[in-house]
Amino acid sequence: MQKFPRLFPTALCLLLPLTVALPASANPATLADFQALAGKSNHSLTLPVYPLTPADAQAMTEQSIKEADAALAALAAQDPKTLNFENTFAAADAIGAKVGNVALILGTVAESSTDKALRDTANDMGVKLQEWGVSLDYRDPLYRALKTVADAKPKLDADQQRLVDDQMRTYRRAGLSLSAPERADIERLRKDLAGLNTQFAVNINEARAPLDFTAEELAGVPQSFLDSPGVKQPDGRYRVMANITWHAQAIAENADNPEVRRKVLTARCSLAQVTNTPVLAKLVALRADIAHRLGYANWADYQTEIRMAKTGAIALKFENDLVAGLQPKFDQEIETLRQMKAAQTGKADAKLESWDVPYYTNKLKKEKYAVDTEKLRVYFPYQATLEGMFAIYQKIFSLKFTAVEPPYVWAPGVQLYVVQDAETGVPMGAFYLDMFPRDGKFNHFACFEQKPGRVLADGRFDLPVAALLCNFPAPSADKPSLLKHADVETLFHEFGHVMHSMLSRSRYVAQSAFTVPLDFVEAPSQMLENWVWDKSVLDTFAADYRDPSKKIPAEAIASLVAARQATEGYGERRQLSIGLLDLNLHTLSADDAWQADVVKIVNDTTARVSIAPPAGTFWAAYIGHLAGYDAGYYGYLWAKVMAIDMASVFKAAPDGFLDAKVGRRLRDEVYGKGDTREVSESVEKFLGRPRSMQPFLEYVGIKK
Ligand SMILES: [Zn+2]
């Protein structure tokens, strides 16, 4: 998912749009029909304007910055006696929204345009807008105008108060509430921090570890690897680059010679060790120092304050509870792998080493859980899968999607849909689909927000627009596009982001769908991944394209689940080892952080939670997340555990994953709320109970 960094919050009117049922006679078919329909219920459906040339992209960027600067200067220059919520916080939110919308459009153009020059300019302009966004936090006159209103404590409703509190918190976190010299220190330390973060990333990018082996040493490694460009050397040996993930993986999973596996893993876990060990030590100390100066006990407290976790201690407890919960499954999986090693080596007391785990895991999957994922493609022709998913999402969220002729698209084949509320017919938003690869296009799968919803100055609700950029296999002359099961899961996930965007009904942009905390933003989509593992869901669309009476066999789904669960305990514990080493480094106090032995912390945590890394190595030096997503890695599992918890409510409902009543509650309590309240409250209102780890443990294969 793409997330544009939160610009200045946007805010405006107190009037919420009326939601009235429209006459049943309305039978809209064109975009203009839907726009008229939206107008009747106090909504506005407008599509973004896309730049057609590099000059357009540059002009719209410069224009938006110029207008916003002038508007913000005028805002800050108002007579302090006339300041109120509307002409400060709400006005600033609206000003930020306009620039933010330009940034979103340019972000999409940079990834999707068929014109390279336009993509490049859009990219440059995006950087410019981001820098502008960052500079907003440091505009003193603006800060003083907003603070005047915040300090006067006007009577506000809950959304407005939250907007004020969040914005003042952003200022406090940037150091604006400190004295001038203290603030200057923070700014200087932040610059140092940015420099070290960059250095850490550069050292990772520059790390190389070539290792040459003979064909004999590489026994077991697929021929396709040996034949890959650059692998065979003039002297007849084969070069493995331990820094290239798929190289390292090919050896780790397939090389029969344990010494070869050990050498490659040792090289991999030593990447950037010499350069980045001191950088990480400095980063840890500097972050702790900044946190301390801003009034936090440690860096994790600072980072998690604006997330669901709220404190480093809560994030730590979550991770440690999961470590304990997974223990029996982890032990059992490791023992299975160890026994495989014992059988292969003939040594009953063989010890499982870190370089053995991927090898025996791969063997186990091939021998015991062979699932031919290629064969399953026949059940997932693209069009039927898309329509099947649409039917499901329309049912559970009580919506109607209609394809309309788009006035403009950035590439041939891009489609546009309008979303309506199924009951009232009121338009809810619009989304584009750009689903197949082409030269120069973004090469993953993601939802790109085009425009978040918000209430306009005249009281109308400006409907959200989103775009899905995917790369499914293109259809051929004799075959439709056939998806892998994993592709179907991705489609359900990414379209979940589209739903989140369409359903959010927050008044202010600063509280719209994708502004929810970083450790939550993936959860609504991750939840929907669970749908594609359920037979009754798949039976609504998964059928052999050559003979649609043939549904996907139950055994195929059961095998997929078994294969996933076979090594899930180890997989999650490995994730936890990164989450915990990250938190253990970032919950140190400023005093402790200066003298911390980062190598010992990392290696002890890894050995305790996962499996001891090769001796003398320091794999954290090559974990890019530690510079940029620091004290944040726990968030992946935090969101996943919550997603599975939410999915369990559907599982238990009368109609299972197709239950419209539970779906409606999800729409109203979670998706529709955006960030207008604490997401923990939204999630628990949906669950109807406190959050639980139990459904996740069952998902991993631990029976109650
Ligand atoms: Zn996502």
Side-chain angles (χ1 to χ4, degrees):
M1 201 209 75
Q2 288 284 309
K3 197 174 152 108
F4 186 76
R6 192 182 293 219
L7 269 179
F8 209 76
T10 328
L12 283 173
C13 183
L14 297 181
L15 287 172
L16 272 176
L18 292 169
T19 304
V20 291
L22 298 163
S25 61
N27 194 13
T30 67
L31 179 65
D33 293 346
F34 283 106
Q35 287 173 323
L37 193 58
K40 282 184 197 160
S41 58
N42 208 26
H43 289 70
S44 163
L45 175 59
T46 56
L47 299 175
V49 176
Y50 295 86
L52 303 179
T53 63
D56 280 356
Q58 188 167 351
M60 72 194 275
T61 303
E62 283 164 2
Q63 181 69 14
S64 70
I65 289 178
K66 202 172 130 196
E67 282 177 15
D69 279 341
L72 289 171
L75 186 165
Q78 295 174 104
D79 178 352
K81 288 196 283 295
T82 65
L83 295 178
N84 57 41
F85 174 82
E86 287 301 322
N87 65 22
T88 55
F89 285 92
D93 191 57
I95 296 165
K98 284 190 192 155
V99 188
N101 287 347
V102 172
L104 290 170
I105 293 314
L106 292 174
T108 307
V109 168
E111 299 288 6
S112 67
S113 171
T114 53
D115 174 359
K116 182 171 187 319
L118 179 53
R119 287 199 304 273
D120 291 347
T121 304
N123 214 6
D124 293 346
M125 295 300 110
V127 172
K128 203 168 171 174
L129 286 163
Q130 269 197 18
E131 284 167 0
W132 182 86
V134 172
S135 77
L136 283 178
D137 286 349
Y138 298 96
R139 293 188 185 202
D140 224 17
L142 182 62
Y143 168 64
R144 282 198 301 271
L146 296 182
K147 189 170 185 303
T148 302
V149 174
D151 287 349
K153 300 200 186 319
K155 204 169 156 25
L156 301 172
D157 68 27
D159 292 354
Q160 295 169 327
Q161 190 59 53
R162 187 170 169 83
L163 192 68
V164 170
D165 292 346
D166 282 357
Q167 186 53 45
M168 295 320 287
R169 186 178 67 183
T170 300
Y171 280 131
R172 179 170 51 71
R173 292 169 57 79
L176 268 82
S177 55
L178 300 175
S179 70
E182 285 172 327
R183 196 171 131 187
D185 282 344
I186 294 275
E187 279 177 31
R188 182 177 48 79
L189 294 173
R190 271 184 190 282
K191 276 198 190 120
D192 294 349
L193 184 61
L196 284 171
N197 273 327
T198 306
Q199 190 58 54
F200 192 80
V202 167
N203 290 343
I204 285 179
N205 283 338
E206 288 177 353
R208 300 281 181 278
L211 295 159
D212 290 352
F213 296 103
T214 62
E216 196 194 355
E217 286 172 314
L218 293 181
V221 177
Q223 190 61 38
S224 60
F225 173 80
L226 303 178
D227 292 343
S228 299
V231 170
K232 187 154 187 187
Q233 299 300 299
D235 67 0
R237 294 200 295 170
Y238 295 88
R239 178 156 295 174
V240 175
M241 299 293 289
N243 53 293
I244 299 177
T245 304
W246 66 271
H247 275 214
Q249 209 169 350
I251 305 305
E253 291 181 351
N254 301 293
D256 293 323
N257 184 337
E259 188 50 20
V260 170
R261 297 196 305 265
R262 189 191 64 78
K263 276 188 183 156
V264 172
L265 184 69
T266 301
R268 177 129 182 123
C269 290
S270 311
L271 285 165
Q273 181 167 3
V274 173
T275 49
N276 266 348
T277 304
V279 176
L280 187 61
K282 274 189 218 161
L283 275 170
V284 164
L286 190 53
R287 288 167 183 158
D289 185 20
I290 293 173
H292 175 72
R293 287 165 189 263
L294 289 168
Y296 299 83
N298 55 59
W299 184 249
D301 276 3
Y302 173 77
Q303 290 288 68
T304 53
E305 181 191 27
I306 52 169
R307 304 203 185 126
M308 263 185 102
K310 298 281 181 235
T311 68
I314 291 176
L316 259 181
K317 180 177 186 314
F318 166 80
E319 297 263 293
N320 280 318
D321 285 353
L322 261 187
V323 168
L326 289 166
Q327 194 70 47
K329 184 74 167 60
F330 175 78
D331 289 344
Q332 172 212 321
E333 287 176 18
I334 291 291
E335 178 55 18
T336 302
L337 299 179
R338 199 200 64 78
Q339 282 175 12
M340 289 174 75
K341 181 175 179 180
Q344 196 183 27
T345 58
K347 291 181 190 148
D349 62 346
K351 182 172 176 260
L352 193 75
E353 302 284 359
S354 50
W355 52 88
D356 295 326
V357 175
Y359 176 76
Y360 289 104
T361 296
N362 187 39
K363 221 172 157 54
L364 178 76
K365 285 205 164 168
K366 276 205 284 207
E367 287 171 6
K368 213 173 148 197
Y369 299 99
V371 183
D372 192 341
T373 52
E374 285 302 309
K375 261 191 172 163
L376 294 181
R377 282 182 189 266
V378 297
Y379 298 103
F380 302 115
Y382 167 77
Q383 195 58 35
T385 305
L386 182 77
E387 284 165 20
M389 179 190 72
F390 276 2
I392 291 166
Y393 284 18
Q394 288 176 96
K395 179 170 192 274
I396 60 178
F397 291 117
S398 184
L399 299 171
K400 186 177 177 218
F401 306 157
T402 309
V404 296
E405 189 62 39
Y408 164 79
V409 290
W410 50 84
V414 173
Q415 295 170 295
L416 177 66
Y417 287 79
V418 175
V419 177
Q420 285 171 282
D421 179 80
E423 247 171 72
T424 63
V426 171
M428 304 281 296
F431 62 87
Y432 292 96
L433 296 184
D434 178 357
M435 305 298 259
F436 299 104
R438 64 175 174 270
D439 270 355
K441 182 182 155 181
F442 170 77
N443 60 5
H444 298 284
F445 299 75
C447 169
F448 285 68
E449 199 175 29
Q450 304 297 286
K451 179 168 79 167
R454 68 183 176 114
V455 175
L456 299 169
D458 60 14
R460 287 179 305 153
F461 188 81
D462 193 28
L463 294 168
V465 181
L468 211 51
L469 264 55
C470 297
N471 288 280
F472 292 112
S476 63
D478 57 336
K479 246 196 231 166
S481 163
L482 297 175
L483 310 186
K484 283 193 290 190
H485 179 259
D487 294 333
V488 181
E489 187 178 49
T490 302
L491 179 64
F492 272 67
H493 175 106
E494 296 304 337
F495 199 73
H497 289 307
V498 174
M499 289 289 92
H500 196 184
S501 163
M502 296 293 107
L503 293 171
S504 166
R505 280 299 167 272
S506 56
R507 203 187 322 167
Y508 304 115
V509 162
Q511 296 168 351
S512 61
F514 295 172
T515 67
V516 294
L518 209 56
D519 51 7
F520 178 74
V521 72
E522 288 298 323
S525 286
Q526 283 175 315
M527 181 197 78
L528 291 159
E529 291 174 16
N530 290 275
W531 270 237
V532 306
W533 297 83
D534 183 85
K535 168 84 172 147
S536 57
V537 169
L538 293 177
D539 277 349
T540 65
F541 65 88
D544 192 323
Y545 77 101
R546 297 157 304 188
D547 174 6
S549 70
K550 285 190 186 146
K551 300 282 185 197
I552 187 166
E555 316 81 73
I557 302 167
S559 310
L560 282 173
V561 173
R564 176 178 66 64
Q565 284 185 342
T567 56
E568 185 100 29
Y570 171 78
E572 303 296 3
R573 284 280 289 253
R574 190 175 184 284
Q575 288 287 96
L576 284 164
S577 71
I578 305 177
L580 274 166
L581 69 85
D582 176 26
L583 286 170
N584 286 337
L585 290 173
H586 294 116
T587 44
L588 296 167
S589 70
D591 284 345
D592 291 344
W594 284 108
Q595 35 201 332
D597 183 345
V598 295
V599 176
K600 184 168 165 32
I601 292 174
V602 165
N603 287 343
D604 285 357
T605 304
T606 310
R608 175 173 73 84
V609 179
S610 176
I611 195 159
T617 62
F618 184 54
W619 71 309
Y622 199 65
I623 301 178
H625 290 80
L626 294 174
Y629 204 42
D630 34 289
Y633 201 90
Y634 78 91
Y636 289 112
L637 267 172
W638 179 282
K640 185 172 179 180
V641 167
M642 197 163 29
I644 290 167
D645 197 10
M646 293 198 289
S648 74
V649 178
F650 278 94
K651 228 172 158 179
D655 259 348
F657 287 115
L658 304 174
D659 198 283
K661 209 173 145 196
V662 176
R664 181 69 209 205
R665 194 161 86 235
L666 182 70
R667 171 177 158 179
D668 293 341
E669 298 292 356
V670 180
Y671 284 61
K673 288 288 184 262
D675 198 43
T676 56
R677 65 182 181 194
E678 292 294 311
V679 279
S680 51
E681 185 186 339
S682 297
V683 170
E684 295 198 352
K685 283 221 161 101
F686 165 68
L687 295 173
R689 57 164 169 78
R691 304 204 303 273
S692 164
M693 239 173 224
Q694 196 54 44
F696 174 78
L697 294 177
E698 283 166 36
Y699 161 91
V700 171
I702 298 174
K703 305 268 180 297
K704 241 191 209 172

